[in-house]
Amino acid sequence: MALYSARKGFNVGLTVGGINLNRGFHVIAGPCSVESAEQMDAAAAVLADHGVRILRGGAFKPRTSPYSFQGLAEKGLELLAQSARRHGMISVSEVMDTDSVELVAASVDILQVGARNMQNFSLLKRLAKQRKPVLLKRGMSATIEEFLLAAEYVLQGNDNVILCERGVRSFETLTRNMLDLAGVALLRRMSHLPVLVDLSHSTGRADIVPELARACVALGAEGIMIEVHPDPQSALSDGDQAIALQDAANLIDDLTPWIELRERLESTTSHAATPAV
């Protein structure tokens, strides 16, 4: 199986805000939930200073418990967009249902579909009518084929789709989910869509993210998504998997030589594959 759009050679240059997500290696980072203007500005300032171009933040939060923090809704979108613009970044946030598509699209640059909504076909069909890029996360129990077919719903009218592996459920208890790097390799072979890896939701912990980030560079993924918070211990959601600002800065800086090595190897391979005239 391969995506229709991949077979036709589409989406080899998905560009948003001047960023070509099919080229290079990109870091999407920011808090799980937008909590305050101060929190978002603190995170955006550090991330932008270390080359991050895409700021994430949840305004509508689908939580397992109805008693958990549900997000700041429209106010959260406003704070996210303001911080992103102030620091020269673009923004991404989750859209929860068909009723909120236009509201979220009016504020952010990339619309995210969370794992729980991967097969919300009414939502996917509505997003097919949008022009803004859609970041689609793999469902927690979805096969690769189901994931690609979900993307196909959006591709019926919107070519700007980004695939995001975020781990699947397993019997392992030391991580939140099981990160499927084999699935990432398959996705890159089966489509021309950018493939990102959500290292925070897939692991549920911050300590092993640096090693996995390097693995994603080596694997050829187009980027990673990580949750970063000025004070993880006080985070209103998913504090255990949030990375402190300085640790995030170190992680991003430490990735630079790995990214440069990949670029050199890709350049060498490209030149070697070019026949002499």
Side-chain angles (χ1 to χ4, degrees), residues 20 48 62 108 119 125 144 161 228 261:
N20 186 337
V108 304
Q119 289 185 314
K125 289 176 182 178
I144 293 297
V161 177
V228 176
L261 174 61

Side-chain angles (χ1 to χ4, degrees), residues 33-232:
S33 300
V34 178
E35 300 169 7
S36 68
E38 294 76 17
Q39 170 226 27
M40 292 306 302
D41 271 342
V46 171
L47 293 171
D49 191 48
H50 289 268
V52 175
R53 299 284 308 281
I54 308 175
L55 181 67
R56 60 146 292 142
F60 300 91
K61 296 302 300 178
R63 307 300 298 282
T64 301
S65 170
Y67 306 109
S68 300
F69 177 62
Q70 302 290 311
L72 297 180
E74 191 169 355
K75 180 63 175 177
L77 291 173
E78 179 184 337
L79 295 176
L80 170 64
Q82 288 175 350
S83 292
R85 286 195 298 268
R86 189 174 295 122
H87 296 280
M89 308 168 81
I90 62 175
S91 56
V92 55
S93 194
E94 183 170 354
V95 57
M96 295 284 295
D97 49 47
T98 55
D99 292 339
S100 59
V101 169
E102 283 70 26
L103 173 64
V104 179
S107 297
V108 304
D109 301 289
I110 301 173
L111 304 173
Q112 175 181 308
V113 176
R116 290 176 176 83
N117 271 325
M118 189 205 81
Q119 289 185 314
N120 182 339
F121 301 119
S122 296
L123 176 59
L124 299 180
K125 289 176 182 178
R126 178 68 66 85
L127 291 170
K129 300 176 181 179
Q130 275 286 328
R131 294 296 89 199
K132 289 195 172 180
V134 174
L135 189 155
L136 179 65
K137 286 195 173 185
R138 181 181 178 184
M140 60 187 71
S141 299
T143 66
I144 293 297
E145 183 173 1
E146 289 167 341
F147 187 24
L148 290 175
L149 287 172
E152 198 75 59
Y153 272 89
V154 184
L155 288 166
Q156 296 299 309
N158 184 351
D159 292 334
N160 301 312
V161 177
I162 305 156
L163 302 175
C164 184
E165 163 64 31
R166 50 83 68 201
V168 293
R169 280 187 166 176
S170 77
F171 49 80
E172 180 56 68
T173 59
L174 293 180
T175 56
R176 181 173 179 174
N177 294 288
M178 179 179 67
L179 176 57
D180 184 10
L181 292 181
V184 174
L186 282 170
L187 290 171
R188 297 196 72 254
R189 282 181 176 270
M190 296 171 73
S191 85
H192 290 291
L193 303 177
V195 180
L196 306 179
V197 184
D198 181 343
L199 293 179
S200 295
H201 281 93
S202 58
T203 64
R205 52 194 298 166
D207 57 341
I208 58 175
V209 168
E211 293 95 323
L212 293 172
R214 294 194 292 271
C216 290
V217 175
L219 191 59
E222 276 71 34
I224 57 173
M225 177 182 283
I226 55 175
E227 291 186 356
V228 176
H229 197 284
D231 182 13

